[in-house]
Amino acid sequence: MAPTVYVVILFLCLGLMYPVVTGTFMDKLASKKLCADDDCVYTISLARAEDDYNAPDCRFINIKKGQLIYVYSKLVKEKGAGEFWAGSVYGEQYEDQMGTVGYFPSSLVSEQHVYQKANKTILTTVRGL
């Protein structure tokens, strides 16, 4: 084989050993969150979006004005940070199936119905948020 073929094979092998994709560090949103249970799986409330919101990264969800959102946790606001809640929305095509879960600004929604109080404080470091 020609020496160039060996060089190409060597670069391919080295490329497989070196990770091509690198992650980006994202700032932590809060140190604590309020939930109804220890795992933050029970619905706290039902909220309605008062305005559209486009998610800035994968931790957040897109919401449209008028859309209903099931709230599972509320991040405890920290100095200089906005207040975010975690919830899920139903997609337009699959209204009877649960949508993607993510964060959204609490200032863009109004609570329509409170199912239970969020009285458990959970450290977000436990869940890696």
Side-chain angles (χ1 to χ4, degrees):
M1 271 197 235
T4 55
V5 172
Y6 289 118
V7 172
V8 169
I9 292 172
L10 177 66
F11 280 124
L12 287 174
C13 291
L14 290 174
L16 293 175
M17 292 187 314
Y18 182 76
V20 177
V21 178
T22 58
T24 303
F25 179 76
M26 295 183 204
D27 291 332
K28 192 173 177 179
L29 297 174
S31 299
K32 298 176 186 174
K33 59 184 174 180
L34 298 173
C35 301
D37 62 291
D38 291 333
D39 295 320
C40 299
V41 295
Y42 292 113
T43 305
I44 297 170
S45 63
L46 180 66
R48 183 175 301 279
E50 299 296 329
D51 205 354
D52 291 347
Y53 177 71
N54 292 319
D57 63 48
C58 62
R59 297 173 294 176
F60 300 87
I61 56 173
N62 294 319
I63 56 175
K64 294 179 183 175
K65 184 176 182 176
Q67 200 166 31
L68 292 175
I69 305 160
Y70 288 93
V71 180
Y72 301 109
S73 68
K74 298 178 178 183
L75 296 180
V76 176
K77 186 175 180 178
E78 295 181 353
K79 186 177 181 180
E83 185 174 353
F84 294 95
W85 293 353
S88 67
V89 296
Y90 287 97
E92 294 170 2
Q93 296 178 356
Y94 306 103
E95 290 184 5
D96 60 341
Q97 296 179 9
M98 184 172 292
T100 305
V101 176
Y103 292 102
F104 56 91
S106 62
S107 60
L108 295 180
V109 300
S110 60
E111 277 187 305
Q112 302 294 301
H113 181 75
V114 176
Y115 295 112
Q116 53 192 327
K117 291 196 181 264
N119 54 9
K120 294 210 179 242
T121 302
I122 311 287
L123 295 175
T124 58
T125 54
V126 173
R127 302 282 184 240
L129 297 176

